[in-house]
Amino acid sequence: MDNPGNYPTPIGASDRVDIVRGPASPIYGPAKIGGYLNFNPKSARIEETGAYIAENTGALSYTTGSWDKSILTAEIGGPGEIGGKPMGFYLYGELENSGSFYKNAPGVEQSLIQASFDVDLNETVQLQFGGMYHDYACLLYTSDAADEEDSVDL
């Protein structure tokens, strides 16, 4: 989905999306008065049981479509052991090089890599960490176009 004027949300990298209603904590910013979305990254831990996925899993997909849409995604996850302790990992990647619906406007180029790791230090202590690299380039539309040359035709 093309959402010009906004930073894209990598929904494919999410395992679950929580809809949090009502005013948010001030740490989320002043514009969250009606609620916000909480995107939970993909993980090797099964949410319902807390156990790790039983075996390595992965997927590779390519999406193409109108306006030169071109998106490649890959993901892999699985269980493992570190120092005799059970652990799990999950890696997700996405590359996009797509055109634009808008005339005279550049398309979207983005690269995304996300990793998450979970380690059970003992029966009651878990270490969970991860990170995301997201490089995004496109034309962002604003409401204060300086002149006709800066505007985009629809």
Side-chain angles (χ1 to χ4, degrees):
M1 178 166 70
D2 190 17
N3 191 11
N6 296 299
Y7 185 76
T9 303
I11 295 175
S14 302
D15 184 42
R16 184 183 81 238
V17 179
D18 298 329
I19 300 171
V20 182
R21 296 178 184 206
S25 166
I27 65 171
Y28 293 108
K32 309 292 188 265
I33 58 172
Y36 62 97
L37 298 176
N38 184 34
F39 293 87
N40 296 283
K42 290 186 176 186
S43 168
R45 194 175 294 277
I46 300 169
E47 186 176 332
E48 293 81 10
T49 65
Y52 294 110
I53 53 179
E55 57 187 38
N56 289 337
T57 184
L60 180 67
S61 70
Y62 178 71
T63 304
T64 186
S66 301
W67 301 287
D68 298 325
K69 182 176 192 163
S70 178
I71 303 172
L72 176 67
T73 61
E75 55 189 288
I76 186 168
E81 245 184 51
I82 293 181
K85 306 289 184 188
M87 62 86 62
F89 68 95
Y90 209 94
L91 306 171
Y92 176 88
E94 183 174 305
L95 297 172
E96 179 175 2
N97 186 358
S98 299
S100 176
F101 167 80
Y102 301 95
K103 296 177 186 175
N104 306 319
V108 173
E109 290 184 24
Q110 71 174 332
S111 304
L112 173 104
I113 300 171
Q114 175 178 287
S116 65
F117 300 92
D118 301 271
V119 179
D120 292 341
L121 299 177
N122 59 40
E123 290 183 18
T124 59
V125 178
Q126 300 173 350
L127 176 63
Q128 300 176 336
F129 61 96
M132 176 188 285
Y133 168 79
H134 193 183
D135 181 22
Y136 178 74
C138 86
L139 179 65
L140 296 178
Y141 304 105
T142 61
S143 61
D144 59 348
D147 57 40
E148 196 171 303
E149 291 178 3
D150 293 336
S151 64
V152 175
D153 297 328
L154 297 177

